């Protein structure tokens, strides 16, 4: 499965990306939502996993923009500040699943399964991070 992963926190991006790629998924990770949107325009993804708080736009705005480009993409939004208002806004904007922080790996895997997406990808696993000085393949 091709996953677009967006989080401005480098350590979160790295740990989630490493875990998901170890499960066989192809991960296209970005610290900047604008970079993620460019990747979305230039490729196809099965799932967008995004933090809520991002520089320049929040995760809900990013999801709305991504869905305008790839309408069938499934979405998971996570936030440490999630409230009933955030949850309601997410539902209104078509977010498939909202998770709290810290993200528990089993909860993320269950969310992927709940969306009828394969828990492991068809391989080979790839983990590419954009948004630092250069693209990095950890």
């Amino acid at each position: 499965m091709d996953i677009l992963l967006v989080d401005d926190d480098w350590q979160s991006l790295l740990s989630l990306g490493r875990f998901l790629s170890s499960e066989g998924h192809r991960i296209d990770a970005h610290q900047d939502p604008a970079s993620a949107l460019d990747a979305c325009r230039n490729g196809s993804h099965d799932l967008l996993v995004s933090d809520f708080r991002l520089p320049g736009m929040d995760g809900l705005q990013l999801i709305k923009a991504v869905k305008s480009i790839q309408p069938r993409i499934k979405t998971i939004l996570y936030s440490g500040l999630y409230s009933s208002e955030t949850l309601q806004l997410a539902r209104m904007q078509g977010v498939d699943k909202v998770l709290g922080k810290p993200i528990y790996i089993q909860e993320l895997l269950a969310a992927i399964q709940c969306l009828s997406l394969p828990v492991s990808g068809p391989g080979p696993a790839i983990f590419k991070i954009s948004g630092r000085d250069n693209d990095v393949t950890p």
Side-chain angles (χ1 to χ4, degrees):
M1 172 173 31
D2 288 309
I3 300 175
L4 183 61
L5 177 63
V6 186
D7 195 320
D8 63 328
D9 179 71
W10 177 254
Q11 289 303 318
S12 295
L13 197 67
L14 192 60
S15 62
L16 283 174
R18 281 182 176 159
F19 172 75
L20 290 168
S21 68
S22 76
E23 292 291 309
H25 301 294
R26 292 175 300 280
I27 309 303
D28 187 4
H30 299 265
Q31 284 188 284
D32 176 48
S35 172
L37 277 174
D38 286 341
C40 186
R41 288 183 192 100
N42 295 321
S44 178
H45 302 87
D46 303 304
L47 174 65
L48 167 63
V49 178
S50 178
D51 190 10
F52 178 73
R53 296 191 98 179
L54 297 168
M57 72 174 73
D58 66 35
L60 289 174
Q61 294 167 321
L62 174 63
I63 288 170
K64 183 178 180 180
V66 166
K67 281 190 170 258
S68 73
I69 299 166
Q70 295 183 24
R72 290 195 168 105
I73 195 169
K74 299 291 185 177
T75 56
I76 296 175
L77 179 72
Y78 58 90
S79 175
L81 304 172
Y82 107 47
S83 63
S84 59
E85 181 181 314
T86 304
L87 190 57
Q88 184 178 10
L89 282 170
R91 286 185 183 144
M92 288 172 40
Q93 291 192 16
V95 175
D96 295 299
K97 190 74 176 166
V98 178
L99 302 176
K101 274 184 171 178
I103 294 179
Y104 297 102
I105 296 304
Q106 293 306 319
E107 188 178 8
L108 180 58
L109 291 177
I112 292 171
Q113 279 184 317
C114 178
L115 297 175
S116 299
L117 295 168
V119 175
S120 25
I126 297 171
F127 179 22
K128 181 183 126 194
I129 301 177
S130 301
R132 286 219 116 161
D133 295 336
N134 296 307
D135 288 354
V136 176
T137 302

